[in-house]
Amino acid sequence: MNPRFLENPSTADDAMPRDSDINANSIKRRAHLGGANGHDREGSEPVDPGALSRALQGVERAARSRERTPVGSPSRKRQRVYGDRFIPNRDGRDLQASYSLIPDNNSPATPSKAKKRTPHGELHFQRSTPSSLTLLTEVFANPGTDEEANRTFSNLLQSEIFHHTVPQPTPPTLSPDPVFPSSSHSTTIHDPSRARTPPSNLPSSVLAPASLTPSTPHKNIFTYMSPQHHRNGSAHLTPSRTPQSRHGPNMDPHSDLYSVSPINYDSQRLLLSPKKQPRAVSKVPFKVLDAPDLADDFYLNLVDWGSSNILGVGLGPCVFMWNSVSGKVTKLCDLQDDIVTSVSWIQRGSHIAIGTDKGLVQIWDAERCRRLRTMTGHSARAGALAWNDHILTSGSRDRLILHRDVRQPEQWLRKLAGHKQEVCGLRWNGEDGQLASGGNDNKLMVWDKLNATPLYKFSDHTAAVKAIAWSPHQHHLLASGGGTADRRIKFWNTATGTCINEIDTGSQVCNLAWSKNSNEIVSTHGFSQNQIVLWKYPSMTQVASLTGHTYRVLYLAMSPDGQTVVTGAGDETLRFWKCFNRRQRDGIGGDGLGSRMEMSSVLR
């Protein structure tokens, strides 16, 4: 047969005459002869044109159906395309076992392509062990929080790719040598067969800083050895340490060679390890109060919760008190020609201080609803107040801070001039005798007792500092938060004057408050989510994020038992959240404050 027919079968079919073509031509020839000579022959009949046309159509249909029938010529074999890109699969074998030479015997280390019947003992083991896919589904489909699921997935991914050799450069701030610490390459064990990056024999003046130097693991992640090289024994093997399966059967029952899971044994142990369940925090406020005319002003402090379990709120020219036990609302005062700009309860007792837009500071007896005295000294609104026993400190838009001794007749005891713009945050640390002040000049200052000179002046924030809170669990630990342009929470050691930690929250920090019962801190934020966030200190991992306000959350106060926080916003609502648990020494029993807040729903 001519080879060109094999290369182009359609050419061979066109070159050889078909039976259908012969039959059609013979019929046409007979018809032509019959039509031309029919009158010369005796006994011949004329041909019917319609019948002839139908016969020709039938022959053509038969020819077309014959052409669609596949011919017997061999077809060209499909060429396989090879590439250098490795695509991992999930067939249950790890890369090291799949790419290593395994003896050709019936040892357990030899993987078989044929599906064998599973022994009864192994079947029983598979039934009693949870499936890895089931574990993955349980971990990632029903996590306690999104952060916990992301953390588990990251650990699982590191375990799958790097196993026990994860490169982790040491942060330059934690390194003892800021230029080039010797321990900043990796946390893995030193391997003499691999060179460091960069080489360790270079002089230290040439080396780049550790934070700018890429680090690599001290072993190959993917290894491959040619079977031919293994037989000859003449080539250098990669890796230098030969797996056990190359010299004989692998008898380790936990080897990935025998695993039917898509993940290795270490990852399975990671998923099977007991996880500490995160503390459940309700994402819905258990009570909402209407607060008409609650100002949407970042520099004011209009909500405070006293030790007598009474909430004080400034609404326009009035101050209202809400009793959390009875739910009764009482109107404390109406300033008529002035506006309330700040409210602050004394630590112990029923006295409440009120700052006004005219710069006055009034002290009221909340039990008798009677004003005790009015103090002057500021030339602009007094937007921040803080008590330290009998010392009342006020901060104003006139940039001054005044210490007042409420036992003495003088209007003020000491004047502090440190800020260049409005003072919007004040907090006393009663145990250490330190005062923290924040201003619209982006400054955070720490004052020792009643001294007129600041002990520390911090300029790290890039926006107004209103959110200030002292830790009740650790001496000299101060937390501060910046405004819209800053968005960070910083932690300071006021004994040494250093910043020990900070975190970018992504939004304006309006308030901070430490939990009285646990080492946690709550922050309130502005645009864009207007959320309340609970943080675990010192890891600063989010315990919960609470949303519900439609305006920035400008006001925050905590109940005396430390279980409930109340937040206020420009949407003219006060929302109560059960954020923290009762102290262990307080006992378990009772629903706490939340079960008694059920009477009134409007502060008017």
Side-chain angles (χ1 to χ4, degrees):
M1 182 178 291
N2 195 332
R4 72 183 182 91
F5 295 149
L6 296 178
E7 297 175 359
N8 192 353
S10 62
T11 306
D13 293 340
D14 295 339
M16 294 191 304
R18 300 185 182 92
D19 295 341
S20 59
D21 297 338
I22 297 174
N23 296 334
N25 293 333
S26 60
I27 293 173
K28 291 179 180 178
R29 191 162 47 247
R30 293 192 191 106
H32 175 73
L33 293 175
N37 304 324
H39 61 278
D40 295 332
R41 294 185 181 181
E42 295 180 358
S44 61
E45 298 178 358
V47 179
D48 186 9
L52 178 60
S53 176
R54 287 192 295 272
L56 290 175
Q57 291 178 0
V59 172
E60 289 177 358
R61 283 196 298 270
R64 283 197 298 269
S65 62
R66 185 182 181 92
E67 289 177 359
R68 288 195 296 268
T69 304
V71 295
S73 302
S75 60
R76 181 182 298 177
K77 186 176 181 180
R78 183 180 179 183
Q79 184 179 2
R80 180 175 296 180
V81 179
Y82 294 91
D84 58 351
R85 176 181 170 190
F86 173 75
I87 301 177
N89 56 14
R90 285 176 170 266
D91 58 357
R93 296 177 299 176
D94 72 326
L95 300 177
Q96 187 173 9
S98 300
Y99 279 82
S100 302
L101 181 65
I102 302 175
D104 294 333
N105 51 31
N106 293 329
S107 64
T110 304
S112 175
K113 295 183 179 180
K115 187 175 181 180
K116 296 183 179 180
R117 184 176 182 182
T118 308
H120 180 269
E122 185 176 352
L123 181 63
H124 177 71
F125 171 76
Q126 294 177 1
R127 287 178 177 176
S128 60
T129 304
S131 170
S132 299
L133 293 177
T134 304
L135 293 174
L136 288 171
T137 304
E138 292 178 355
V139 170
F140 298 117
N142 300 307
T145 60
D146 294 338
E147 294 79 11
E148 182 69 21
N150 293 336
R151 190 159 48 250
T152 303
F153 177 76
S154 299
N155 295 335
L156 183 67
L157 189 61
Q158 289 181 358
S159 175
E160 285 293 305
I161 296 179
F162 298 105
H163 299 281
H164 299 289
T165 57
V166 183
Q168 294 178 352
T170 304
T173 56
L174 302 179
S175 173
D177 188 358
V179 179
F180 187 77
S182 59
S183 61
S184 63
H185 292 291
S186 174
T187 57
T188 57
I189 301 175
H190 173 68
D191 188 353
S193 63
R194 298 282 301 197
R196 289 178 180 267
T197 305
S200 58
N201 56 358
L202 293 178
S204 59
S205 61
V206 184
L207 299 179
S211 60
L212 302 178
T213 304
S215 59
T216 57
H218 297 324
K219 63 176 285 188
N220 290 336
I221 301 177
F222 303 119
T223 61
Y224 174 75
M225 184 188 67
S226 173
Q228 183 178 1
H229 291 172
H230 179 71
R231 293 191 187 97
N232 298 337
S234 59
H236 295 286
L237 303 181
T238 303
S240 58
R241 290 184 285 271
T242 306
Q244 182 182 359
S245 60
R246 296 179 184 174
H247 294 295
N250 190 340
M251 304 306 295
D252 184 9
H254 299 302
S255 174
D256 295 330
L257 187 63
Y258 311 122
S259 175
V260 296
S261 170
I263 58 177
N264 59 37
Y265 179 69
D266 293 334
S267 300
Q268 295 180 45
R269 289 196 305 172
L270 176 65
L271 294 178
L272 286 171
S273 60
K275 299 293 188 302
K276 184 179 179 180
Q277 294 296 331
R279 179 166 58 86
V281 179
S282 176
K283 300 298 182 69
V284 180
F286 64 86
K287 188 172 187 61
V288 178
L289 295 179
D290 292 329
D293 300 329
L294 184 62
D296 184 23
D297 194 330
F298 178 80
Y299 301 98
L300 305 185
N301 295 271
L302 298 176
V303 178
D304 195 24
W305 206 326
S307 59
S308 56
N309 217 355
I310 296 177
L311 183 69
V313 183
L315 302 177
C318 304
V319 174
F320 291 88
M321 299 183 298
W322 179 74
N323 191 315
S324 61
V325 178
S326 63
K328 181 181 179 181
V329 177
T330 304
K331 184 177 180 179
L332 177 65
C333 65
D334 188 346
L335 302 182
Q336 299 294 332
D337 58 346
D338 208 345
I339 298 176
V340 178
T341 56
S342 58
V343 172
S344 180
W345 288 93
I346 195 171
Q347 288 100 326
R348 292 174 296 275
S350 60
H351 290 177
I352 184 172
I354 300 172
T356 70
D357 189 64
K358 293 183 177 181
L360 303 177
V361 176
Q362 300 181 1
I363 299 178
W364 287 71
D365 184 350
E367 290 184 354
R368 299 176 177 85
C369 293
R370 184 170 61 93
R371 186 177 61 187
L372 301 178
R373 65 180 297 185
T374 300
M375 294 177 288
T376 61
H378 289 297
S379 58
R381 67 181 183 185
L385 297 172
W387 285 89
N388 185 18
D389 291 333
H390 56 276
I391 298 296
L392 174 61
T393 304
S394 59
S396 171
R397 181 181 272 183
D398 62 8
R399 303 170 293 179
L400 297 179
I401 298 175
L402 299 181
H403 290 309
R404 311 169 188 270
D405 191 340
V406 297
R407 302 171 302 178
Q408 298 180 6
E410 289 80 11
Q411 297 297 319
W412 49 270
L413 179 65
R414 193 68 51 86
K415 180 184 295 186
L416 310 181
H419 289 278
K420 302 301 182 183
Q421 293 189 38
E422 180 176 5
V423 179
C424 52
L426 282 177
R427 285 292 184 273
W428 270 104
N429 184 0
E431 296 182 358
D432 299 325
Q434 292 181 336
L435 172 70
S437 64
N440 196 36
D441 55 358
N442 309 342
K443 299 295 189 297
L444 173 67
M445 298 186 185
V446 177
W447 312 78
D448 188 24
K449 299 180 174 60
L450 301 180
N451 293 335
T453 304
L455 182 63
Y456 298 109
K457 183 182 294 185
F458 303 115
S459 304
D460 294 37
H461 286 290
T462 58
V465 182
K466 176 192 176 185
I468 301 173
W470 292 93
S471 172
H473 312 290
Q474 184 176 344
H475 288 286
H476 304 288
L477 179 57
L478 173 66
S480 62
T484 305
D486 186 78
R487 307 171 306 187
R488 291 176 295 174
I489 299 176
K490 290 179 175 290
F491 297 89
W492 311 87
N493 184 347
T494 59
T496 60
T498 57
C499 179
I500 57 179
N501 193 7
E502 70 174 54
I503 184 172
D504 189 346
T505 64
S507 58
Q508 178 188 40
V509 183
C510 301
N511 291 279
L512 288 172
W514 287 89
S515 170
K516 301 177 182 179
N517 306 333
S518 60
N519 200 14
E520 295 174 331
I521 189 170
V522 57
S523 61
T524 66
H525 300 270
F527 182 81
S528 61
Q529 295 184 11
N530 307 316
Q531 75 273 30
I532 302 103
V533 182
L534 275 66
W535 308 87
K536 186 70 177 178
Y537 186 83
S539 63
M540 291 307 291
T541 56
Q542 285 193 19
V543 178
S545 180
L546 313 176
T547 57
H549 285 288
T550 57
Y551 281 65
R552 52 185 181 172
V553 188
L554 298 178
Y555 310 109
L556 172 69
M558 186 174 294
S559 63
D561 61 3
Q563 298 185 65
T564 305
V565 297
V566 57
T567 57
D571 55 9
E572 298 183 347
T573 61
L574 296 175
R575 298 173 185 265
F576 295 81
W577 314 82
K578 179 70 183 316
C579 294
F580 305 105
N581 296 325
R582 183 188 297 269
R583 288 186 184 181
Q584 293 183 357
R585 65 171 180 263
D586 292 342
I588 303 180
D591 296 332
L593 186 64
S595 62
R596 300 191 296 269
M597 296 182 177
E598 53 189 8
M599 299 271 184
S600 177
S601 62
V602 181
L603 283 176
R604 272 287 167 96

